[in-house]
Amino acid sequence: MKPLTETLKSRAETEKLFVPYIMAGAQGLDKLEEEIAMLVEQGAAAIELGVPFSDPVADGPTIQAAGLRAFAQQVTLKKLVEKLQEIRSGAPLILMGYSNSFFHYGIKELVEDLEGTDVQGFIIPDLPYEHQELVTPDLGDMALLTLISLTSPTERIEQLAAEAEGFIYAVTVNGITGTDQQFRTDLMEHLAKVKAVSDIPVLAGFGISTSEQVKKFQQVCDGVVIGSKIVRSLEEQGTEKTGELLAEIFR
């Protein structure tokens, strides 16, 4: 069992999990350690760090804009790795980005350079399950997390869940990320189906931004992923106020 899987499974036995997403370097890489510390203080079981990319097909306007701010400050995956070699997070970190970024760096080289950091997994939204062998031979102890969409038939859900690591990212909407989402009427039934076939934590993500939504999804899932709400707050209000916002959401 990969270290990330073991950690999250153990924690999910006693509490609901909160996994935040932030765009690494959107406020500058010098702010990253402060942002991570705030998220850990607010109970983050793990933290997704977005890698800025020029064509973020799964990201809504808020995260796209954050990626552009990171680009404007010349944030690259290489510079992010160098920063992560310097800091300790207090929670497992997960790099979330698009396949071009990882392949350009080199999977083997990336895993080697992350040795000794707190990074324990990757999320690569545009890497199909059928092509995972392009990265898995070089991952070592790194977990490769699985996204399950609303359109996945039962047979595929079972297939994906059987080999999933870390946690299952159960996508709650069809389309891009963002806080202004309309959830399908059969969403809870879908999430319950994923949860029923998974041996690892299942977290709902995409479009979750309120305390009411968190409580709703916690009824059927092991926790939630929140991204755009946090990314926007960090830009508009800064780290301290974002911590207060999260405390209110999870009150």
Side-chain angles (χ1 to χ4, degrees):
M1 186 181 296
K2 300 288 181 74
L4 180 63
T5 310
E6 190 170 0
T7 296
L8 295 182
K9 279 192 69 171
S10 176
R11 188 158 177 170
E13 291 176 358
T14 58
E15 63 182 281
K16 294 296 182 178
L17 304 182
F18 161 49
V19 174
Y21 167 98
I22 60 173
M23 176 61 69
Q27 280 67 242
L29 283 178
D30 58 325
K31 290 280 190 179
L32 185 60
E33 187 170 11
E34 173 188 303
E35 292 168 353
I36 289 173
M38 177 273 293
L39 294 169
V40 172
E41 183 178 350
Q42 294 303 322
I47 299 169
E48 297 177 13
L49 299 179
V51 178
F53 185 60
S54 58
D55 187 24
V57 295
D59 296 329
T62 297
I63 293 177
Q64 285 190 21
L68 291 175
R69 293 198 304 277
F71 270 133
Q73 300 185 69
Q74 299 182 320
V75 175
T76 64
L77 180 54
K78 183 71 173 177
K79 290 181 180 179
L80 173 57
V81 170
E82 290 171 354
K83 173 59 69 172
L84 293 175
Q85 290 169 341
E86 301 173 356
I87 65 179
R88 289 295 170 266
S89 68
L93 303 177
I94 301 164
L95 293 186
M96 184 170 185
Y98 294 89
S99 55
N100 278 10
S101 300
F102 292 100
F103 290 142
H104 180 73
Y105 196 113
I107 302 299
K108 184 176 181 181
E109 292 77 10
L110 179 59
V111 171
E112 289 175 352
D113 288 348
L114 290 170
E115 186 175 349
T117 73
D118 292 319
V119 177
Q120 294 186 11
F122 300 138
I123 300 175
I124 312 177
D126 62 339
L127 179 69
Y129 168 79
E130 288 77 12
H131 295 157
Q132 286 188 352
E133 73 279 359
L134 295 174
V135 302
T136 50
D138 296 317
L139 287 181
D141 282 339
M142 291 286 180
L144 182 63
L145 281 73
T146 296
L147 286 85
I148 293 182
S149 73
L150 287 171
T151 57
S152 299
T154 300
E155 183 177 340
R156 185 165 180 83
I157 290 173
E158 293 173 348
Q159 181 185 39
L160 294 173
E163 300 182 28
E165 301 171 338
F167 68 85
I168 288 178
Y169 198 135
V171 179
T172 56
V173 297
N174 290 322
I176 58 176
T177 61
T179 58
D180 301 320
Q181 302 283 4
Q182 296 295 318
F183 297 116
R184 279 180 15 178
T185 56
D186 63 345
L187 175 57
M188 300 296 275
E189 181 182 344
H190 166 79
L191 294 174
K193 183 189 301 183
V194 177
K195 173 64 179 167
V197 299
S198 176
D199 290 329
I200 66 173
V202 175
L203 274 65
F206 276 39
I208 299 172
S209 61
T210 68
S211 179
E212 291 72 25
Q213 290 169 343
V214 168
K215 289 179 172 63
K216 176 180 178 179
F217 290 121
Q218 285 177 341
Q219 294 174 20
V220 291
C221 293
D222 298 291
V224 297
V225 177
I226 300 180
S228 295
K229 184 81 169 182
I230 296 172
V231 171
R232 181 181 293 121
S233 180
L234 285 171
E235 177 197 4
E236 296 176 351
Q237 304 186 79
T239 307
E240 183 178 350
K241 290 293 186 182
T242 301
E244 295 173 4
L245 172 68
L246 290 172
E248 179 65 19
I249 290 174
F250 288 95
R251 66 184 186 277

